[in-house]
Amino acid sequence: MRKWFILCVFVLLGGCHSPQQSGFIKALEELQVPVRVMEKKEKSIFTQDLNGEKPKTYLLNDKLLSVYTFDQSKDRSKAKQQFYEKTASQNVVSYELYELNTMLIFYVHEQNLHVAIPYDEQIRKALTQLGEDEE
């Protein structure tokens, strides 16, 4: 009985990742981007609930990578609008926003806006690969 309970817990926890999100992280790893799961979630504007969803957070070269996955692309669009409304009057650190189907991704790079964003090319390539795989 105990083994069944443990197995059920792992199945439920495994179901928390969407295939799209897992595919994105795998694509980053294949491109040798140093990404790892963030053990302790920090509280920030980039980790807040958006449109009823909590993000899965990662560290990409010690910078926050916040990945939201929604049921539909219209939910992603609503979440993006909600983010813009919440941050309209705030001075937000430098970040890049990426979107693909039902995913909304924030990479909080904190770089000067006149400098190339580290890993931007690899993130875009991973998203392109993922988009091609889904077609």
Side-chain angles (χ1 to χ4, degrees):
M1 183 69 168
R2 185 179 221 179
K3 288 180 184 178
W4 281 107
F5 176 74
I6 292 171
L7 179 63
C8 288
V9 169
F10 280 115
V11 168
L12 288 173
L13 289 176
C16 294
H17 291 280
S18 77
Q20 189 177 46
Q21 187 180 94
S22 297
F24 171 64
I25 297 303
K26 184 179 178 186
L28 287 177
E29 290 170 344
E30 288 172 359
L31 292 168
Q32 284 154 32
V33 174
V35 62
R36 66 183 195 276
V37 174
M38 189 174 206
E39 297 298 326
K40 184 179 177 190
K41 190 183 257 187
E42 66 180 48
K43 231 179 165 178
S44 84
I45 195 76
F46 300 102
T47 60
Q48 67 181 324
D49 286 9
L50 290 176
N51 199 23
E53 293 294 326
K54 294 182 187 309
K56 181 73 176 157
T57 54
Y58 301 89
L59 288 174
L60 192 157
N61 203 30
D62 293 326
K63 300 293 183 183
L64 177 64
L65 182 71
S66 188
V67 183
Y68 292 84
T69 305
F70 300 93
D71 292 331
Q72 300 177 8
S73 59
K74 68 179 181 179
D75 296 330
R76 182 207 67 228
S77 296
K78 287 179 188 175
K80 181 176 146 183
Q81 184 61 35
Q82 187 180 46
F83 176 80
Y84 287 145
E85 289 169 3
K86 287 182 174 185
T87 59
S89 63
Q90 296 180 2
N91 188 11
V92 180
V93 297
S94 299
Y95 68 93
E96 191 67 26
L97 174 76
Y98 305 91
E99 297 177 81
L100 178 68
N101 302 330
T102 60
M103 286 192 324
L104 183 65
I105 302 165
F106 294 97
Y107 174 38
V108 188
H109 52 79
E110 301 177 24
Q111 296 289 311
N112 183 318
L113 297 177
H114 303 291
V115 177
I117 300 167
Y119 301 106
D120 179 64
E121 185 178 324
Q122 292 93 329
I123 293 170
R124 291 182 190 283
K125 187 172 184 178
L127 289 170
T128 300
Q129 287 174 356
L130 186 60
E132 290 170 354
D133 289 345
E134 290 182 355
E135 291 178 356

